[in-house]
Amino acid sequence: MTAMMGTMSIVEAVIVAVLVVWLGLTVVGQFVRNPNVWRKDPFSIIPRWAFFVGGSIADYSLLFRDRLVDGSYGPWREAPFVRRRVWWHVFFNPASRCRRVGRVLIVQTLSGLHTGAAAGAHENPHCRALMRAALSFPPTAEARAREAIIVRTFGLISNRVPEPIVRLALQSVSTGQTA
Amino acid sequence: MIEQVYAVTAGLLGIALLVSTAEHLYNRQEMAPEGLLSWTVLKVGWESSQSAALRHGVAWVMGQRPFTAMLVVQGFATVLMVALAARGVVSAVVQGVILGSQLLVHYRNRYALEGADQMMLIIAAALFCYALAPASVLVASAALWFIALQATLSYLVAGVGKLATPSWRSGEALQVMINSEAYGIASGATVLLHRPHVAKVLSWQVMVVESLFPFTLLLGSPLGAVFLVWGAAFHAGNVLVMGLHRFFWAFLASYPAVWFCMSQRWSE
């Protein structure tokens, strides 16, 4: 051992030590459940390898519709980041990144509403971020035809089991008159 | 032999990084201040007690233009990495750029990170270590063992975690997953919903092989190679059924290291 240490340069020792510590923290990290601990790893250096373990997979959708200047509503549309997979997505699927972000924001919003952590959806930072991003979705065809949107309304739907099959959280956000 | 292992690893990581970088660049419009991938959205829930000056600096780096420029640099560095096959002094700089940019990608995309991103970071870090001391057999071996142990740990944790979940043991979790819009496929869902025993067999096959994956390092070749063949087929199936295309390249990039460590153990 001493002989090995003697022949090991400082650079080698540092590199090996970093890799050993990193691996050790990875092992320990697999047992950490407290989300506050993970906040101490802002670069997500410690991987979490428990893929698709635990809670059931659910689908979440963000719906929106536009209220026009005459007070009528257009039809509900699904957020554009939810796209069905096509064959070439086995090579290249950039929308999956947007979908993942949208999914996390929806889950966090519904979770906040469910636990009552926020006074209302408007107080929920994830909900605010989601709505803010959703305001940039292109207007529906009906809204484009009438050249005006004054309010965009949102709905969140989940098929999460065994909890209630559908939850709807409506938000109205003024986008200003765009005519 | 070790240089060839690094060359193949760099080549496979290069494919994974190029696909990932191209997808980020394709999404650059969404990185605009009002977009879904804007820093305004992605920082929610992660803001800490940083000083105002630091927050401002971070916001600038994570903005649409600087981040897009960083992605372009990462793309060029990845091409260079593959061309250099992780050799030479330039290689250390190139690997450093790739590791640094991957860390920034991790920081910015914490919401959208997946296992593939984490494996890419692990491998990029190992290649950087090798590039820092290319003449050291100790570092070269340690970096490959680091990749191999992380890869086998990933399968072990995923496998044992599923084994501990009743819905996985009954096959129900797989049925629900394949029936979901996010990770499923209609034809597969139809088959599994009408044949629950198939779902159960598939679930147990995944759980058992994932849990036993670390044995690759104990069994050595050629028996351990069976696990690698299974792993490649498993990830290919996940690409087709679940759309996990980035996992395929990222995890395949760890296999040369697993193969090396497996062979090393066997030859001892």
Side-chain angles (χ1 to χ4, degrees):
Chain A
M1 183 72 181
T2 311
M4 200 176 95
M5 291 299 288
T7 56
M8 193 190 293
S9 73
I10 292 175
V11 173
E12 285 177 321
V14 169
I15 290 174
V16 171
V18 166
L19 294 177
V20 168
V21 170
W22 193 340
L23 187 63
L25 288 174
T26 304
V27 173
V28 173
Q30 307 312 308
F31 299 98
V32 173
R33 295 286 173 268
N34 184 350
N36 289 328
V37 174
W38 290 108
R39 297 175 73 88
K40 298 184 192 307
D41 178 20
F43 291 96
S44 303
I45 289 171
I46 308 301
R48 278 171 273 184
W49 295 131
F51 306 131
F52 302 105
V53 170
S56 61
I57 297 291
D59 282 319
Y60 300 92
S61 285
L62 171 65
L63 305 176
F64 70 100
R65 64 177 179 173
D66 295 329
R67 198 175 92 191
L68 311 176
V69 279
D70 61 6
S72 63
Y73 281 94
W76 287 101
R77 293 275 186 266
E78 198 164 9
F81 56 77
V82 179
R83 292 190 190 128
R84 293 193 193 285
R85 274 187 275 139
V86 292
W87 69 267
W88 53 268
H89 284 167
V90 300
F91 305 108
F92 184 72
N93 187 7
S96 63
R97 296 269 184 196
C98 301
R99 183 188 192 127
R100 199 169 167 85
V101 171
R103 184 183 169 85
V104 172
L105 289 173
I106 292 170
V107 170
Q108 296 284 352
T109 298
L110 288 175
S111 173
L113 293 173
H114 181 61
T115 59
H122 281 297
E123 300 298 318
N124 184 314
H126 295 97
C127 182
R128 284 210 308 270
L130 184 64
M131 299 304 137
R132 180 190 162 100
L135 286 175
S136 68
F137 295 162
T140 57
E142 291 75 13
R144 277 200 303 273
R146 299 196 208 174
E147 296 182 325
I149 311 166
I150 55 167
V151 171
R152 179 161 281 182
T153 305
F154 303 98
L156 298 175
I157 295 183
S158 141
N159 66 345
R160 187 184 170 92
V161 287
E163 292 173 29
I165 295 172
V166 175
R167 288 192 206 151
L168 204 59
L170 289 177
Q171 290 293 298
S172 297
V173 181
S174 171
T175 62
Q177 195 155 339
T178 58
Chain B
M1 182 194 174
I2 211 161
E3 285 192 351
Q4 290 165 329
V5 172
Y6 273 102
V8 177
T9 303
L12 291 169
L13 177 67
I15 297 172
L17 281 172
L18 284 175
V19 170
S20 178
T21 306
E23 288 179 345
H24 281 303
L25 285 171
Y26 186 92
N27 286 332
R28 66 190 179 284
Q29 295 302 330
E30 290 291 342
M31 294 178 197
E34 70 281 3
L36 186 65
L37 302 181
S38 67
W39 179 238
T40 314
V41 170
L42 295 180
K43 73 180 180 182
V44 170
W46 293 97
E47 290 152 312
S48 60
S49 54
Q50 292 168 336
S51 68
L54 184 59
R55 270 205 304 275
H56 188 73
V58 170
W60 185 84
V61 173
M62 297 297 160
Q64 185 188 26
R65 285 189 177 182
F67 197 75
T68 300
M70 189 280 295
L71 288 170
V72 171
V73 170
Q74 185 187 44
F76 278 116
T78 303
V79 172
L80 273 176
M81 173 185 75
V82 176
L84 293 169
R87 279 195 296 268
V89 179
V90 181
S91 162
V93 177
V94 168
Q95 297 294 351
V97 169
I98 291 173
L99 179 59
S101 56
Q102 268 303 99
L103 285 169
L104 288 178
V105 167
H106 269 227
Y107 189 85
R108 193 180 195 281
N109 295 285
R110 279 169 288 191
Y111 279 149
L113 280 185
E114 55 187 32
D117 297 299
Q118 294 181 316
M119 185 54 82
M120 282 191 276
L121 181 72
I122 293 286
I123 299 173
L127 292 185
F128 177 61
C129 290
Y130 174 59
L132 283 178
S136 166
V137 177
L138 175 68
V139 169
S141 298
L144 289 178
W145 272 98
F146 176 68
I147 297 173
L149 288 171
Q150 287 280 8
T152 51
L153 180 66
S154 72
Y155 289 109
L156 176 68
V157 171
V160 171
K162 290 185 183 86
L163 273 172
T165 310
S167 61
W168 266 100
R169 294 199 300 272
S170 67
E172 188 196 340
L174 186 65
Q175 281 179 316
V176 171
M177 188 188 297
I178 303 302
N179 194 36
S180 72
E181 193 175 13
Y183 296 108
I185 185 169
S187 53
T190 307
V191 170
L192 294 187
L193 288 173
H194 287 96
R195 296 176 183 80
H197 59 281
V198 175
K200 195 167 182 174
V201 169
L202 284 174
S203 298
W204 274 94
Q205 177 256 142
V206 170
M207 290 186 293
V208 169
V209 182
E210 279 189 336
S211 301
L212 295 178
F213 202 89
F215 279 98
T216 47
L217 299 178
L218 297 173
L219 292 170
S221 55
L223 199 54
V226 173
F227 282 92
L228 297 186
V229 172
W230 174 86
F234 171 65
H235 287 296
N238 286 346
V239 173
L240 296 173
V241 177
M242 299 176 69
L244 300 175
H245 63 298
R246 290 185 290 269
F247 271 78
F248 178 78
W249 294 110
F251 276 78
L252 214 62
S254 72
Y255 283 15
V258 177
W259 175 267
F260 171 82
C261 297
M262 198 168 77
S263 309
Q264 202 179 39
R265 280 274 307 157
W266 195 239
S267 63
E268 280 173 1

